[in-house]
Amino acid sequence: MSVRDQTKTFRPDIEGLRGIAILLVVLFHCDVPGLSGGFVGVDVFFVLSGFLITGMLVDEIQRTSKLSLLQFYARRVRRLLPASVLALVATLLMGAILLAPRELEWAGHAGQAAALYMSNIFFDKNAGDYFGPDLKFNPLLHTWSLAVEEQFYVFWPLLIVVSMRYCRSRAGLVSALAGLTMISFGVGLWFTLKGGTFAFYELPARAWEFGVGGLAALLPRKMLKLPVGWWLAVGWLGLLAIFGMGHFFITRDDTSFPGWVALIPTMGTVAVLVAWSEHPHRGVGVVLASAPLQLIGRFSYSWYLWHWPFLVFAVALVPTISIVGKVTAAIAALAVAGLSYYFIENPIRYHPSLLKRPVLSVCLAGAVTTCLLGAALLSIRFSMQLTMDPHIKAITAAIDDISRLPRGQCVTSKQSAEVKTCEFGNKRSEISVILFGDSHAIQWFNPLERLAESNGWRLTTVVKSACSAFDVTLAGDSAEQIGACAKWREDALAQIVAMRPTVVFLGNATGVLAKDPRNPVSLEDVRDGTRRTLQALKGLRVAIMRDGPVFPYDIPTCLARSSRHSWYPDGACEANRLAVLNPAVFEAEKAGALGLADINFIDMTDHLCQKDVCRPNRGDTVIYRDHQHLTGDFADSLVESLATELLPLVKASPRRSLTPVESQRPRHNSHNTHDS
């Protein structure tokens, strides 16, 4: 009896693995400490799907000499669609009540994509826009993995049918599946190294995980003659690999995974499945068959559908929610999942009329999908109506208020190493200011351009998205992104030195470093990286802007929710100064400059925060366009304050004389600032 033969009967190990996988994912999303890699539960689900579907399809072909694709798709529809439609519609309805208009709009777009089983493509396409909306708290973000599975269900049966027809042997089928699996694995490796989100979200880079599960289903039993103790060890090591990745693996975003490290939870899952097949009632099988894991595994699909919307809405209701609060929300989602399982999923899945009429199942799927598309469209239209409110309109406008700098022509993308330079102001002036750094440099373009225009300076921009002017490597970036950033920085520094500017104005997103516990950049790294960059600029006058506050939530979203709901507490979008600023990083930057000549620090913190509180707006002006970047409008309002800090540095340059406009301004002494 082969492993595939056992897929005909219930396997408690698969149910138990589902329980482990969903627990890893949910607790990871709840930010429970010690589960920084809990997202690998999705990889476990992919392997299990490949194992089950392959075994089921091959078994049907061998029993009946054919495969009914209609029956297969009808079974998938009855199994997956009822719960997902209920969860999606409920999520959009709750979103219409709780979310900010911009959030609701993007939830509607995600709902449209989810209805068409393409939400993975939607999130891949939009996640790559550095200046676009932050989709990390979209209530339908989790549907990306369901879309990957549904796409797999479309092409995998066709592949098996074609392989069985032309190969006419199980060995030929194994060869075909192995070849496809290896190609997909290569695609995943390539795009992970290349950077971006394709490897994380798209089926071609993930199909190998399903393929590994499918190949495991075709393994003949007793192929390896191992003692019982060895098989038990294989099972425990497989489970250890899954939990080990869930505990130890750290990634900053969805651009550094899956890569080769996804082999660990994938092969760990296969090890458990094969070990259970050899000795089902011993070793790891005893744990997987335990009642709690069986119950959680039974509800795993519904719980996956409900847990993320519950967490997103919990944060919308309580912006400062704790880990305990998130876990409570996840438990509430589990209760709803249980109700969905017993009253929606199973009754429809096993309804006698649908079991006898596969065509009816498929036709109903089309009708329900159409209704879901309509619900998503209504959500988008309702969000548009909400934006007509004057207060909401002002907040929404702040989201796209980046700066006047033409990004396409003047900003180097994350994946590129090309040094783009653009000039503004008086391009023939001997007085030259260079704006150098990442997006936190770009946010100061507006006031710098105004100063250049009013004083007759030449302003040159040398900026790149997500690449610090300081020689600091952010954890989680792909090898290609790290290489592109290093090459850009090296070439940019060489060009800046060759330009011999009056002042180099540096802006860097260093304040975010200690705000991300998954980003292990040390203060020593900041100090040393700062010094390496400043040494490369030796002989030039440098002005380093202290980085601003980094909030734990999106400011326009918080303000829009507050505007919509009277029950939002006063000051809900404000933050304690010490909670959003990072004095230690600023001190590390100053330590890196210690002993170097012509290095000056500019600290605008008192213009961003008042005493112990950092507020999100000043009057009708929204200060931040997200959780850390200033709006162009607010940055413009700081032009005089910035002039007070920057003009003395320009005047002190030994390489030029004052312009008539500058000579009328009062003198100020440049200074190194310290945090209050």
Side-chain angles (χ1 to χ4, degrees):
M1 183 178 182
S2 68
V3 174
R4 60 184 171 80
D5 294 326
Q6 296 179 46
T7 60
K8 294 183 293 184
T9 58
F10 173 74
R11 289 191 49 156
D13 62 320
I14 293 177
E15 204 79 286
L17 281 170
R18 284 174 176 155
I20 289 173
I22 190 62
L23 281 172
L24 286 173
V25 171
V26 171
L27 295 179
F28 167 73
H29 285 158
C30 290
D31 297 321
V32 172
L35 288 174
S36 59
F39 54 86
V40 300
V42 171
D43 302 84
V44 176
F45 280 125
F46 287 167
V47 176
L48 293 178
S49 292
F51 181 87
L52 281 169
I53 297 303
T54 303
M56 181 178 64
L57 294 175
V58 172
D59 179 72
E60 182 177 342
I61 292 174
Q62 291 185 339
R63 283 188 296 104
T64 64
S65 299
K66 63 179 181 179
L67 175 63
S68 173
L69 292 177
L70 177 61
Q71 286 284 4
F72 171 79
Y73 292 127
R75 288 194 298 267
R76 292 294 88 197
V77 164
R78 294 194 301 270
R79 171 69 180 93
L80 302 175
L81 202 58
S84 66
V85 169
L86 175 64
L88 290 176
V89 171
T91 297
L92 292 174
L93 286 173
M94 287 301 298
I97 298 172
L98 295 176
L99 297 181
R102 178 88 162 192
E103 288 181 293
L104 180 59
E105 177 190 353
W106 283 95
H109 288 304
Q112 290 178 320
L116 298 173
Y117 316 122
M118 294 193 299
S119 57
N120 60 324
I121 300 173
F122 169 80
F123 287 111
D124 176 29
K125 178 182 177 181
N126 290 285
D129 185 357
Y130 185 79
F131 293 97
D134 186 355
L135 300 176
K136 292 181 180 178
F137 289 99
N138 189 300
L140 297 179
L141 175 61
H142 64 314
T143 62
W144 76 266
S145 65
L146 303 178
V148 171
E149 291 218 23
E150 287 152 350
Q151 292 161 16
F152 162 76
Y153 295 144
V154 170
F155 92 89
W156 199 251
L158 301 176
L159 176 68
I160 290 179
V161 169
V162 172
S163 299
M164 292 291 283
R165 177 172 296 177
Y166 289 99
C167 298
R168 298 185 180 279
S169 68
R170 199 170 114 188
L173 174 62
V174 170
S175 298
L177 297 186
L180 179 67
T181 299
M182 292 178 65
I183 292 172
S184 173
F185 182 66
V187 170
L189 280 179
W190 169 259
F191 279 99
T192 302
L193 292 173
K194 184 177 175 62
T197 56
F198 183 92
F200 188 87
Y201 286 112
E202 301 289 0
L203 179 63
R206 290 285 196 162
W208 68 271
E209 296 178 283
F210 297 93
V212 167
L215 291 171
L218 299 175
L219 286 175
R221 190 176 177 186
K222 302 299 183 184
M223 182 180 70
L224 295 176
K225 304 293 184 179
L226 297 178
V228 174
W230 282 88
W231 278 119
L232 298 182
V234 166
W236 287 117
L237 287 174
L239 201 59
L240 181 63
I242 296 171
F243 279 113
M245 278 292 291
H247 175 67
F248 290 108
F249 188 68
I250 297 175
T251 182
R252 209 173 135 256
D253 50 34
D254 47 20
T255 63
S256 57
F257 191 83
W260 68 267
V261 293
L263 279 170
I264 299 174
T266 299
M267 299 311 296
T269 305
V270 169
V272 174
L273 291 170
V274 175
W276 187 94
S277 300
E278 298 296 331
H279 298 282
H281 304 298
R282 301 183 64 177
V284 70
V286 176
V287 175
L288 295 176
S290 63
L293 281 181
Q294 291 295 298
L295 179 64
I296 294 173
R298 193 177 310 138
F299 297 159
S300 60
Y301 174 60
S302 286
W303 197 16
Y304 186 85
L305 284 169
W306 289 102
H307 86 282
W308 184 246
F310 265 68
L311 290 174
V312 170
F313 295 143
V315 172
L317 287 167
V318 186
T320 58
I321 191 170
S322 65
I323 293 176
V324 174
K326 292 179 180 180
V327 171
T328 302
I331 293 173
L334 177 60
V336 173
L339 294 174
S340 172
Y341 179 84
Y342 285 115
F343 294 104
I344 302 295
E345 289 181 64
N346 272 4
I348 295 178
R349 183 181 182 184
Y350 299 113
H351 195 283
S353 297
L354 295 177
L355 290 174
K356 296 175 183 178
R357 300 176 179 85
V359 174
L360 178 60
S361 296
V362 175
C363 290
L364 287 175
V368 170
T369 297
T370 302
C371 293
L372 184 55
L373 285 170
L377 180 60
L378 287 175
S379 296
I380 296 171
R381 290 188 174 180
F382 182 58
S383 72
M384 298 300 182
Q385 292 179 358
L386 292 175
T387 58
M388 295 299 102
D389 179 272
H391 295 290
I392 296 293
K393 186 178 293 186
I395 295 169
T396 303
I399 298 172
D400 300 316
D401 184 12
I402 298 172
S403 78
R404 290 187 295 270
L405 180 67
R407 299 196 300 278
Q409 300 95 316
C410 304
V411 180
T412 302
S413 66
K414 289 179 67 175
Q415 286 74 34
S416 174
E418 175 191 5
V419 179
K420 294 183 178 181
T421 61
C422 291
E423 291 188 342
F424 305 87
N426 182 1
K427 298 179 182 179
R428 296 184 178 182
S429 175
E430 294 182 358
I431 309 163
S432 171
V433 175
I434 291 182
L435 176 61
F436 179 38
D438 53 23
S439 61
H440 285 220
I442 296 171
Q443 67 185 357
W444 292 104
F445 172 79
N446 283 12
L448 284 174
E449 184 195 32
R450 288 181 59 188
L451 286 175
E453 292 285 353
S454 62
N455 289 282
W457 303 342
R458 180 173 73 254
L459 173 64
T460 305
T461 58
V462 185
V463 290
K464 173 176 166 61
S465 299
C467 183
S468 172
F470 294 149
D471 187 8
V472 177
T473 299
L474 298 180
D477 284 348
S478 68
E480 185 176 39
Q481 289 172 347
I482 292 172
C485 181
K487 181 68 167 59
W488 172 84
R489 186 188 301 111
E490 179 183 1
D491 292 347
L493 286 168
Q495 291 189 30
I496 290 171
V497 171
M499 293 178 195
R500 303 301 298 170
T502 309
V503 173
V504 181
F505 185 99
L506 269 67
N508 294 291
T510 52
V512 73
L513 296 180
K515 300 302 179 184
D516 186 354
R518 293 176 291 173
N519 190 351
V521 178
S522 69
L523 296 176
E524 289 75 16
D525 292 333
V526 176
R527 179 198 64 201
D528 297 342
T530 300
R531 192 167 192 82
R532 285 191 292 269
T533 293
L534 296 180
Q535 285 175 331
L537 295 171
K538 186 177 180 180
L540 300 179
R541 188 173 298 277
V542 178
I544 302 172
M545 174 63 71
R546 181 188 179 177
D547 201 17
V550 178
F551 291 80
Y553 43 81
D554 183 79
I555 291 298
T557 296
C558 185
L559 290 174
R561 291 172 181 167
S562 178
S563 179
R564 281 197 68 191
H565 306 301
S566 59
W567 43 262
Y568 238 62
D570 291 337
C573 303
E574 298 175 354
N576 181 275
R577 180 175 178 141
L578 294 178
V580 294
L581 283 171
N582 198 337
V585 169
F586 188 43
E587 292 300 323
E589 291 174 342
K590 290 193 285 188
L594 195 63
L596 300 179
D598 284 336
I599 307 300
N600 303 267
F601 289 87
I602 298 176
D603 188 353
M604 304 287 283
T605 301
D606 288 340
H607 298 281
L608 304 175
C609 303
Q610 298 74 43
K611 294 184 179 179
D612 295 331
V613 176
C614 296
R615 295 189 172 88
N617 53 357
R618 180 174 296 173
D620 294 330
T621 302
V622 180
I623 297 178
Y624 304 93
R625 64 177 182 83
D626 53 20
H627 69 293
Q628 58 178 312
H629 294 94
L630 301 179
T631 61
D633 189 25
F634 180 75
D636 256 326
S637 72
L638 298 177
V639 62
E640 290 300 325
S641 299
L642 183 60
T644 301
E645 301 285 346
L646 189 58
L647 282 175
L649 304 183
V650 176
K651 293 176 183 179
S653 174
R655 291 187 294 277
R656 36 80 61 205
S657 59
L658 294 179
T659 66
V661 175
E662 290 180 309
S663 63
Q664 299 174 10
R665 293 184 179 272
R667 289 186 174 271
H668 301 273
N669 294 322
S670 61
H671 58 280
N672 288 353
T673 60
H674 299 272
D675 187 56
S676 56

